[in-house]
Amino acid sequence: AGVVSKGSPIDDVMAAIRTVAHGEPLNNVEWASAVEGDRAFADAQLSARERDVLRLYAAGLPLKVVADRLGVAYSTAKENITRVRVKYVEVGRPAPTKVDLLRRAMEDGILAEPSDREGAGGVGA
């Protein structure tokens, strides 16, 4: 749920415990440092199917098209995206929007970041 430094003042530790006890994530500098320093620490452990659904959906395809491309029911694709979102929340990297899912997919190497040629000018030739 979070990280607190061993050297933190007792008031900070107690505040962190209260935050986590209320079911809220502990977003602090220590947590950010742990995630930044060790990507495996924040790995959402997505299944191969979840990664496939995320890759296509985060790339901009509607969920119905994702389901059709993967040969699964729409409800299955939707369930996969729901599980992806839950897994990202569990590792302190929430992705409530499609744009957030795009960011997570790029951060985790599931989807390549756009190159400079594709960036400002639109689609490359």
Side-chain angles (χ1 to χ4, degrees), residues 7 9 19 23 28 38 44 57 65 79 81 87-88 100 107-108 115:
T19 298
N28 57 16
D38 184 0
Y57 183 67
V65 174
E79 182 180 316
I81 286 297
K87 287 182 176 184
Y88 277 124
D100 292 323
E107 291 167 357
D108 292 349
S115 69

Side-chain angles (χ1 to χ4, degrees), residues 34-93:
V35 170
E36 185 64 30
D38 184 0
R39 292 309 299 168
F41 179 76
D43 185 1
Q45 300 291 319
L46 302 180
S47 71
R49 174 64 71 186
E50 290 164 347
R51 291 173 71 86
D52 289 343
V53 171
L54 175 58
R55 180 177 44 80
L56 294 172
Y57 183 67
L61 295 178
L63 203 49
K64 173 72 174 124
V65 174
V66 171
D68 291 346
R69 284 220 182 150
L70 295 176
V72 299
Y74 171 82
S75 60
T76 301
K78 186 174 181 179
E79 182 180 316
N80 276 277
I81 286 297
T82 299
R83 281 198 312 261
V84 166
R85 290 183 197 278
V86 167
K87 287 182 176 184
Y88 277 124
V89 166
E90 288 174 349
V91 296
R93 300 171 61 208

